[in-house]
Amino acid sequence: KLPHRDTSLYKFLIKAAELDGKLDIVVEQSIKLIELNLGDLKARMELGKIYMELDNYKQALVEFKAIENRLETYPKLQFYMSKLYLLTDNIERAIELAKKEIKANPSAEDGYILLGDIYQKQKEYLNAEKEYKKAQKINGENVDMLVGLAKVNFKKSQYEISLDLFKRARVNDPGRAEIYKLLGDADRKTSQSSLAVETYKMFLELSPNSKYKDEINTYIRMM
């Protein structure tokens, strides 16, 4: 309540709220921090990412645009804006910004993976595979790359390759629910029903409210 407020207080409150998983408080304190220091681009970037996590795409874009107006080359700005446009089905803009991210950071795998995700959403699997393999050359253990490449191979009916990639992704990120669902699907395609059941059960433990819940429970009961 003092007239000359210190930004370190808000940074502390934001960090504490993040540790407690209270995103509403993170948003509230981030807004106050930015009001106190309009040039804090890092705070705007983090706030934009949280808005994306909360599916508030309109406010996320406001924050990213504010950063762009001050510093278009801000690290990973094009990446997150591209991801945002992908989520809102503005595919052309998403591709344009993903390519800008790659041009700005050609030695980082993130832009290639994002472009691969965009092509995969468009069902352009060959183009998606090319981008994932470019990312693979940079970092062969990136989980998003492994999952993307596994999905492409799954679509190409190359289930054994897909299975191996999903397993590698699980080792690198054992808490990611999506991987267990995809791994279960691959187990089914390779006639490993008992493994599929166990993998699906783990998926439901990690994601109990999944939209696939009823479908998976029906399969488990049938097996």
Side-chain angles (χ1 to χ4, degrees), residues 154-216:
F154 189 90
K155 290 293 183 181
K156 292 164 61 180
S157 301
Q158 295 179 339
Y159 302 122
E160 293 292 347
I161 296 174
S162 177
L163 195 61
D164 179 62
L165 289 165
F166 282 136
K167 286 179 179 178
R168 284 172 58 192
R170 181 180 59 181
V171 169
N172 291 340
D173 192 355
R176 184 163 163 176
E178 174 198 22
I179 295 172
Y180 292 89
K181 162 65 171 64
L182 297 167
L183 186 54
D185 294 343
D187 282 332
R188 287 173 66 175
K189 289 293 185 180
T190 52
S191 302
Q192 300 183 76
S193 301
S194 59
L195 284 176
V197 167
E198 294 307 312
T199 307
Y200 281 148
K201 284 180 179 178
M202 181 60 72
F203 167 70
L204 292 177
E205 283 185 26
L206 292 169
S207 185
N209 299 315
S210 167
K211 63 181 180 180
Y212 302 108
K213 180 180 178 180
D214 293 340
E215 175 190 333
I216 288 174

Side-chain angles (χ1 to χ4, degrees), residues 30-46:
S30 294
I31 290 171
K32 290 179 180 179
L33 174 61
I34 292 166
E35 286 175 351
L36 203 60
N37 182 8
L38 294 174
D40 192 337
L41 301 187
K42 182 179 179 182
R44 284 192 180 277
M45 175 62 83
E46 293 305 314

Side-chain angles (χ1 to χ4, degrees), residues 15 22-23 25 30 32 35 62 64 90 93 112 114 129 132 138-139 149 152 159 175 177:
K15 181 59 68 176
K22 297 178 180 178
L23 294 184
I25 296 176
S30 294
K32 290 179 180 179
E35 286 175 351
V62 168
F64 293 149
N90 189 339
R93 186 73 173 130
Y112 300 106
L114 180 56
E129 186 175 28
Y132 291 136
I138 298 169
N139 181 1
L149 199 53
V152 168
Y159 302 122

Side-chain angles (χ1 to χ4, degrees), residues 83-91 114-125 128 132:
K83 206 163 191 177
L84 180 60
Y85 283 120
L86 175 60
L87 290 169
T88 55
D89 292 321
N90 189 339
I91 301 299
L114 180 56
L115 190 53
D117 291 344
I118 295 168
Y119 284 137
Q120 185 165 183
K121 187 171 184 178
Q122 292 294 91
K123 298 183 179 180
E124 297 179 24
Y125 299 119
Y132 291 136

